[in-house]
Amino acid sequence: MLLKELSSLASPLSQGQVEKLKQLTSELSAVQLAWVSGYLAATANAGQLAPAAEAQTAQTVTILYGSQTGNGRGVAKALADKAQAQGYAVNLASMGEYNVRQLKQETVLLLVVSTHGEGEAPDDAIELHKFLASKRAPKLDNLHYSVLALGDSSYEFFCQTGKDFSTRLALLGAKSLLPLVECDVDYEAAAGQWHADVLEAVKPLIETSSASVVSIGTAKAIGESEFTKQNPYSAEVLASQKITGRGSDRDVRHVEIDLGDSGLSYQAGDALGVWFSNNEVLVDEVLVGLSLAADELVTLGTESLTLKQALLEKKELTQLYPGLVKAWAELSGSAELLALSEDKEQVRHFILKHQFADLVAQYPLTNSAVTLSAARLLELLRPLTPRLYSIASSQSEVETEVHLTVALVEDERHGAARFGGASHFLASAQEGTQVKVYVESNKHFRLPENPDTPVIMVGPGTGVAPFRAFMQERVAQGIQGDSWLFFGNPHFEQDFLYQTEWQQYLKNGDLSRIDVAFSRDQAHKVYVQHRIKEQGQALWQWLQNGAHLYICGDAERMAKDVHQALIEVAVEVGGLDTEAAEAYFETLRSDKRYQKDVY
């Protein structure tokens, strides 16, 4: 049997396991394949001869994760390592790789899941999330479970996916080992405590042994680097070049970074995690505003450093969160801020338009009885977290480099300049600047396996970044399949990102067609969703011919508007009613033909 036939047959392997098996065998020679075949056959025969009772005693702790940015995977992997060290047999897998039919066989299930967007499940958790809410979900009276939910309290539906899983498992008869644990952005301490508590709660249920069982889904990926979010690689910036015109109202940079001999590898569609330092001018403004000494020694964990170093390298200054707004309202005694902090919707909007320095400046600690120590300040501030950028290059083309398309976040408030932390760091970087990076895999944003499959790419603004990587990859691989790009930005002359590259792809026949929407080059605003409607007949035909559809960019408005335009095309051109159109695109999503990388 050929591996490419596995996906179409009834198989005990999940689709994710099939993909990993393909990846493993693709690097083996004929001799190596023959050896592996014999080894697997012998292993299977030995398993068939073992008494059934013996197999039953090898109970496992199943750990599943649903992760959009990698945090959930990291928490789950750390739990699996601790469980194995204590002698538990462990099955660790992404929810997207888990066979839901196995659920009724489980006795202990530990879930780590994040929440994406407006209370939505992350991509790899969608199918399990839907299954548990469906009539096909079995009774789970023999199951014991615990859920760790990851979220961001800045959003309205904090930890909603974790709440959903916990509720649905309980309704199916499963027994909770611990109350639901909800984690904010600074999740490490709470996650570590959950690790300890849940492994203690599991003890009466499963006997430990020296054996460890890890599913094929947890095997270390071929080519996986030692460099991670916790252990990033110190890379060198090669260039940070502005690619919008002088007259543009936005500053977009093409950033090139040298990965050197790190061994870091990535695929088209992946993201690069970037650690950054806060701007020194911003840190000084905060210190002066709070009358705190820059050289005061403070302790963070086991590390001793100056307060200024802590604010530069360890603490989040450019993004607020609701708890900080409320705490500052109480410290400052501002009636205005106190009232605002009690209104969730107002807080959400306030956070988007303000930074910590704005709190300090606009709501000063005027009460002489209120003093803010350096230690208390550091308690209030969240830990600095890396930012993820869609990679704008293919290693088939640029080898040991990685390229990013970065929009500088900038604003002016009360005469003071305000910048996004990571975007300003990258925009200001000179050649030779060191930047700590790691690769965050995105298995849910991949080119089709079949090179002849048409692709439709919708990427306005910096959302075009992964499609530059897609095109580099397709050209490097000699792929001749049809490709169609929808791109939009305010002005043709100022904001057509990578214009000469797209024109060259068109000229060479590598890119089949491009439709552009420059919103402010005419009296009425035109966006990519309008171009999609205009080209509805052709787009529908591409979809009927098996095209894969990709959207990258703003989740708040663009992705929703594009999705609505697609629904209207399915209704007006495809002849479906609205409900059937929604079901059609849901099927495309399940079949990995409709993929989004939105933020």
Side-chain angles (χ1 to χ4, degrees):
M1 181 192 302
L2 296 175
L3 271 174
K4 65 182 180 181
E5 298 173 318
L6 280 173
S7 300
S8 61
L9 298 175
S11 165
L13 298 181
S14 70
Q15 183 60 36
Q17 290 171 331
V18 169
E19 295 306 317
K20 283 193 165 42
L21 190 56
K22 288 180 182 178
Q23 187 180 21
L24 172 63
T25 55
S26 67
E27 296 199 355
L28 300 180
S29 66
V31 172
Q32 290 171 323
L33 283 169
W35 185 91
V36 170
S37 176
Y39 171 78
L40 292 176
T43 304
N45 289 335
Q48 289 171 357
L49 295 173
E54 183 179 333
Q56 290 175 355
T57 61
Q59 290 177 298
T60 61
V61 175
T62 295
I63 303 172
L64 302 181
Y65 59 86
S67 179
Q68 196 72 26
T69 63
N71 291 338
R73 181 174 67 248
V75 171
K77 178 66 168 63
L79 176 61
D81 291 342
K82 292 176 183 177
Q84 289 177 353
Q86 293 185 26
Y88 292 108
V90 177
N91 178 30
L92 170 68
S94 161
M95 292 178 180
E97 296 175 341
Y98 183 71
N99 188 337
V100 295
R101 290 174 295 180
Q102 178 65 25
L103 197 59
K104 60 186 176 183
Q105 309 299 329
E106 304 287 3
T107 55
V108 175
L109 181 65
L110 309 180
L111 304 178
V112 181
V113 65
S114 62
T115 294
H116 183 55
E118 298 180 4
E120 300 158 9
D123 290 337
D124 55 356
I126 290 175
E127 295 303 327
L128 181 59
H129 188 263
K130 287 172 56 180
F131 176 77
L132 288 175
S134 72
K135 294 180 179 179
R136 296 185 297 121
K139 293 295 291 180
L140 299 172
D141 296 332
N142 296 322
L143 179 68
H144 294 78
Y145 74 94
S146 181
V147 179
L148 179 101
L150 296 171
D152 183 340
S153 60
S154 302
Y155 291 88
E156 182 178 359
F157 300 98
F158 177 58
C159 288
Q160 186 60 50
T161 306
K163 295 173 184 176
D164 291 345
F165 273 113
S166 185
T167 299
R168 290 170 185 177
L169 287 170
L171 289 173
L172 293 169
K175 302 170 185 66
S176 175
L177 290 164
L178 296 170
L180 172 70
V181 176
E182 299 177 16
C183 296
D184 210 333
V185 173
D186 47 345
Y187 59 87
E188 286 86 354
Q193 187 60 53
W194 179 69
H195 287 166
D197 293 345
V198 80
L199 291 178
E200 186 66 27
V202 164
K203 279 184 179 179
L205 302 173
I206 295 183
E207 292 183 11
T208 60
S209 68
S210 60
S212 294
V213 178
V214 180
S215 73
I216 191 171
T218 69
K220 187 174 182 180
I222 295 170
E224 184 177 320
S225 170
E226 63 184 287
F227 297 108
T228 63
K229 178 182 176 182
Q230 291 74 27
N231 179 39
Y233 174 69
S234 186
E236 186 175 297
V237 173
L238 297 173
S240 178
Q241 177 185 0
K242 187 179 179 184
I243 55 174
T244 43
R246 290 183 179 179
S248 177
D249 62 356
R250 58 198 61 192
D251 183 339
V252 177
R253 299 293 176 122
H254 173 73
V255 180
E256 299 182 357
I257 297 171
D258 183 12
L259 298 177
D261 58 0
S262 66
L264 276 168
S265 62
Y266 58 88
Q267 295 184 50
D270 285 343
L272 190 74
V274 176
W275 287 94
F276 63 97
S277 299
N278 283 310
N279 181 260
E280 189 170 2
V281 173
L282 181 66
V283 170
D284 288 341
E285 181 184 343
V286 169
L287 289 169
V288 170
L290 295 175
S291 300
L292 291 172
D295 58 356
E296 180 178 348
L297 286 178
V298 295
T299 301
L300 285 177
T302 59
E303 188 176 2
S304 179
L305 66 171
T306 67
L307 177 58
K308 183 167 183 175
Q309 282 178 297
L311 295 179
L312 281 170
E313 302 168 8
K314 304 294 184 179
K315 290 296 180 176
E316 186 65 73
L317 292 180
T318 58
Q319 291 185 350
L320 295 176
Y321 68 98
L324 178 54
V325 175
K326 185 171 180 61
W328 200 260
E330 293 169 351
L331 283 168
S332 67
S334 166
E336 175 192 346
L337 195 59
L338 277 167
L340 184 147
S341 69
E342 298 297 333
D343 187 316
K344 287 185 177 180
E345 192 61 27
Q346 284 194 58
V347 170
R348 285 187 67 196
H349 285 99
F350 183 86
I351 285 170
L352 293 174
K353 298 290 186 180
H354 295 79
Q355 296 183 1
F356 181 62
D358 300 318
L359 282 181
V360 174
Q362 295 175 38
Y363 304 97
L365 306 181
T366 54
N367 188 336
S368 59
V370 177
T371 58
L372 186 68
S373 67
R376 177 59 177 145
L377 171 63
L378 297 180
E379 285 177 5
L380 287 173
L381 297 173
R382 280 176 167 174
L384 194 70
T385 56
R387 307 293 194 257
L388 292 178
Y389 289 94
S390 301
I391 292 175
S393 57
S394 162
Q395 278 194 306
S396 300
E397 170 75 19
V398 302
E399 298 180 341
T400 61
E401 295 180 13
V402 60
H403 298 175
L404 306 177
T405 310
V406 179
L408 174 63
V409 177
E410 56 183 327
D411 197 5
E412 184 176 315
R413 284 188 288 276
H414 300 281
R418 296 286 181 252
F419 299 99
S423 68
H424 190 243
F425 178 83
L426 290 170
S428 306
Q430 302 295 314
E431 181 180 348
T433 298
Q434 295 295 304
V435 55
K436 294 178 180 179
V437 300
Y438 62 96
V439 171
E440 188 61 57
S441 175
N442 187 356
K443 298 177 183 177
H444 301 281
F445 205 75
R446 289 281 186 259
L447 282 165
E449 283 188 25
N450 183 344
D452 295 325
T453 302
V455 295
I456 302 169
M457 305 168 286
V458 183
T462 56
V464 80
F467 304 132
R468 181 177 186 264
F470 277 17
M471 290 307 301
Q472 286 187 359
E473 180 68 17
R474 285 166 70 87
V475 170
Q477 301 300 328
I479 293 173
Q480 299 296 315
D482 289 334
S483 53
W484 186 353
L485 175 68
F486 287 89
F487 174 76
N489 240 354
H491 299 286
F492 171 81
E493 291 186 356
Q494 304 292 332
D495 306 307
F496 196 167
L497 307 183
Y498 304 113
Q499 177 186 355
T500 57
E501 294 184 25
W502 299 122
Q503 290 173 334
Q504 192 63 47
Y505 284 137
L506 274 173
K507 181 179 178 181
N508 295 345
D510 300 312
L511 182 64
S512 306
R513 60 182 297 177
I514 183 171
D515 281 88
V516 294
F518 294 102
S519 58
R520 290 165 178 79
D521 278 351
Q522 58 283 309
H524 61 287
K525 293 180 180 179
V526 178
Y527 298 107
V528 286
Q529 61 266 27
H530 300 129
R531 296 296 185 225
I532 285 171
K533 288 288 300 295
E534 291 171 6
Q535 303 299 331
Q537 191 78 43
L539 186 142
W540 185 253
Q541 191 57 57
W542 276 52
L543 291 175
Q544 298 312 295
N545 291 340
H548 283 215
L549 175 63
Y550 303 87
I551 300 174
C552 182
D554 171 53
E556 191 68 25
R557 295 183 60 182
M558 181 277 296
K560 293 177 182 177
D561 292 340
V562 167
H563 181 78
Q564 183 57 38
L566 293 169
I567 294 297
E568 292 172 13
V569 167
V571 171
E572 296 167 13
V573 180
L576 306 179
D577 60 32
T578 301
E579 185 177 345
E582 289 285 4
Y584 172 77
F585 284 104
E586 179 61 24
T587 299
L588 290 190
R589 187 201 59 75
S590 296
D591 293 341
K592 294 182 169 48
R593 286 183 54 202
Y594 182 22
Q595 301 181 34
K596 299 178 185 179
D597 177 12
V598 296
Y599 37 84

